[in-house]
Amino acid sequence: MDIIVLMELEKIIKANQEARKLSQIDIRDFALRNSFKWSNDFLKEVLNQYQILKKMATKLPQWHTNENVLGASLLNMEQCSSESVSTYKFKRLNGKSAVDLTGGFGVDTYHLSKKFNKVTYCETNKPLFDIVKYNFKALGVTNVNFLNISAEEFLETTNLQFDLIYLDPDRRNEDNKKLVLLHNLSPNLIDINELLLSKAQKTLVKLSPILDISQAAKQVKGLQSVEILAQKNEVKELIFAFNKIGTEADLSIQATQLGPDKIETFTFNREDEVQAKPFYSEPKKYLYEPNAAIMKAGGFKLVSVKYNLGKISRHSHYYTSENLISNFQGKGFQVNEVKPFSSKAMKGFKNDQFNILSRNFPMKPETIAQKYRLKKGGERYLIFTQNHKNEKIILSCVRTF
């Protein structure tokens, strides 16, 4: 490590130590006062570490409790996997060797090191590389080899075979704009697809929650499965798994909802979804909305088949039954009233308080609330959607779970 890099790392270490001493502060006010008379550069780094540590406390609590762990940047902290998601992601994996081609802040590399005998970390950003290497020493990790090179360079030069290759392609361009399509990512997954298949028994790729799964599946070879990981009903990651024999026709999709006490999964084959025959129904006593992972996975017909639920409409993705299905993966409502949507019907709800949901309906909840003078909140729900006759309807409900 050269003298300039060492001096920069020492500054970050000191800034991190000062940031850990601070209680709850107003960033702007603290910067303006600068009571400790720090240089502008050092003050900026202290505040950077302070903000990172606040996010780290909830996202990476184990790392946060280690007082020697440094932050890199807020962007790194926002983009990295959470401790709980990363732990789950690799819990069924183990082996002799793995490589993380896009090491980043090192969270996934760290959890890989718990499951594989030897792990290689690749990262092109030298300052980030140095911080992660320092952190791993602080965390007592001794089975990781650090390489300051790109994923492409590593794949083209290594003669080794791995049990697992993992990568999380950069999804931002030089202007810091978010990217989604596979060919825009760095590394370009389409370009290195064949190399990945030739170097490992299995490859896992973390991709954007808003990626079109069907479109992406058509662009790559060897795709075995896709797992949608959600937490608190928000999709966090898509995990594409590759091997040499995977095909689009046999693609398995799993919707996973990670909860504090349990993990819910809904797994299906794409062909089974194509062949499934749901039945349609008018709203009955109970209404259901699948969780975010299932909504992203797209197994809408199989939800009807698996739970024996009537589907409200082909495109609404609400389901209904006369008896409560308490193990449904998502939200459950008791339907108190169903009305055809009209301005006249809406007058009966004016100035009243509801949680407003809208799906397969021309207006968003905010527009509905504003136009018809509804107060948002409370325990009751108004759900705006269409039935299987393409008629706009309003369902007045209360949550059951």
Side-chain angles (χ1 to χ4, degrees):
M1 189 179 292
D2 63 53
I3 192 97
I4 296 175
V5 170
L6 186 60
M7 288 174 63
E8 182 64 24
L9 189 59
E10 287 178 351
K11 183 186 82 172
I12 294 170
I13 293 169
K14 290 178 182 178
N16 181 272
Q17 292 169 347
E18 294 296 338
R20 287 179 180 273
K21 296 176 186 176
L22 301 176
S23 56
Q24 193 71 20
I25 63 168
D26 180 288
I27 298 287
R28 182 178 173 81
D29 180 66
F30 188 90
L32 289 172
R33 289 176 181 272
N34 192 11
S35 303
F36 296 101
K37 306 302 179 186
W38 290 325
S39 69
N40 287 338
D41 283 349
F42 187 72
L43 174 62
K44 184 178 179 181
E45 186 56 42
V46 170
L47 295 178
N48 177 52
Q49 292 293 321
Y50 174 81
Q51 292 176 85
I52 293 170
L53 287 169
K54 284 189 69 176
K55 290 185 178 293
M56 191 185 292
T58 54
K59 197 169 187 179
L60 304 172
Q62 184 182 353
W63 285 23
H64 183 264
T65 56
N66 186 319
E67 294 190 354
N68 294 312
V69 169
L70 309 176
S73 73
L74 278 171
L75 182 60
N76 292 139
M77 183 55 61
E78 289 167 0
Q79 290 181 333
C80 73
S81 299
S82 69
E83 184 176 300
S84 56
V85 170
S86 192
T87 300
Y88 168 81
K89 195 160 45 182
F90 304 122
K91 74 172 187 175
R92 293 166 294 191
L93 300 174
N94 58 72
K96 293 181 179 180
S97 62
V99 56
D100 185 345
L101 292 177
T102 52
F105 193 47
V107 176
D108 288 322
T109 309
Y110 174 80
H111 286 93
L112 283 171
S113 75
K114 305 297 181 185
K115 306 294 289 184
F116 291 83
N117 296 342
K118 188 172 182 179
V119 179
T120 301
Y121 165 98
C122 301
E123 175 56 52
T124 57
N125 182 325
K126 189 62 167 66
L128 177 60
F129 174 91
D130 291 330
I131 287 172
V132 173
K133 195 171 182 179
Y134 174 89
N135 283 345
F136 274 45
K137 185 176 181 180
L139 290 163
V141 179
T142 58
N143 62 332
V144 174
N145 181 37
F146 293 87
L147 298 176
N148 185 208
I149 62 174
S150 70
E152 295 92 336
E153 182 182 353
F154 179 83
L155 288 173
E156 289 166 1
T157 57
T158 186
N159 294 319
L160 300 175
Q161 288 286 315
F162 297 89
D163 295 320
L164 177 74
I165 291 177
Y166 175 79
L167 63 157
D168 175 8
D170 192 354
R171 298 191 290 275
R172 290 180 184 266
N173 63 14
E174 294 177 355
D175 298 321
N176 206 31
K177 291 183 179 178
K178 291 184 179 180
L179 304 171
V180 177
L181 300 178
L182 297 184
H183 65 270
N184 289 331
L185 306 182
S186 179
N188 183 325
L189 185 57
I190 298 172
D191 286 350
I192 65 171
N193 193 176
E194 295 279 5
L195 264 177
L196 292 170
L197 294 175
S198 71
K199 299 289 185 181
Q201 294 182 22
K202 189 182 189 73
T203 297
L204 295 184
V205 184
K206 172 184 169 182
L207 293 166
S208 168
I210 62 174
L211 178 72
D212 185 318
I213 295 172
S214 296
Q215 182 183 7
K218 291 180 171 65
Q219 297 178 292
V220 291
K221 298 178 182 178
L223 185 58
Q224 177 189 25
S225 65
V226 175
E227 185 168 15
I228 298 94
L229 296 179
Q231 231 176 8
K232 296 181 180 178
N233 209 35
E234 178 185 355
V235 177
K236 299 295 185 180
E237 302 178 6
L238 304 183
I239 304 299
F240 278 41
F242 296 82
N243 62 25
K244 294 175 183 178
I245 61 172
T247 64
E248 185 187 352
D250 297 326
L251 183 62
S252 171
I253 298 178
Q254 178 169 305
T256 302
Q257 179 73 30
L258 302 176
D261 303 316
K262 64 178 180 178
I263 297 172
E264 296 179 332
T265 61
F266 185 87
T267 306
F268 62 95
N269 184 283
R270 288 185 69 185
E271 186 59 29
D272 292 339
E273 170 65 14
V274 172
Q275 299 298 329
K277 299 186 184 301
F279 69 95
Y280 296 92
S281 170
E282 294 294 327
K284 297 180 180 179
K285 186 175 180 180
Y286 294 100
L287 189 79
Y288 309 89
E289 179 185 67
N291 65 39
I294 294 175
M295 293 296 289
K296 179 63 183 180
F300 302 121
K301 292 192 287 185
L302 285 170
V303 170
S304 171
V305 173
K306 176 180 177 178
Y307 291 102
N308 193 29
L309 296 172
K311 208 167 184 296
I312 296 296
S313 167
R314 181 181 178 186
H315 299 295
S316 292
H317 309 318
Y318 284 119
Y319 302 83
T320 191
S321 68
E322 194 60 41
N323 298 310
L324 181 64
I325 308 297
S326 58
N327 66 337
F328 184 83
Q329 295 183 32
K331 298 175 183 176
F333 303 87
Q334 181 176 314
V335 179
N336 295 328
E337 187 178 17
V338 182
K339 290 184 176 184
F341 173 78
S342 67
S343 296
K344 183 178 179 181
M346 290 303 298
K347 288 180 181 178
F349 303 119
K350 186 177 178 180
N351 295 323
D352 215 336
Q353 189 176 40
F354 298 94
N355 296 285
I356 302 171
L357 302 178
S358 171
R359 190 181 300 283
N360 191 25
F361 196 80
M363 285 186 283
K364 294 181 179 180
E366 296 77 14
T367 305
I368 294 169
Q370 184 176 18
K371 183 173 181 179
Y372 297 104
R373 298 182 183 179
L374 301 176
K375 298 175 184 177
K376 296 171 74 173
E379 297 183 355
R380 294 179 296 169
Y381 284 76
L382 285 183
I383 299 175
F384 296 80
T385 188
Q386 295 187 49
N387 62 20
H388 60 96
K389 300 173 186 175
N390 294 323
E391 298 167 337
K392 297 180 182 67
I393 57 174
I394 315 164
L395 299 97
S396 177
C397 310
V398 291
R399 277 284 296 272
T400 55
F401 59 83

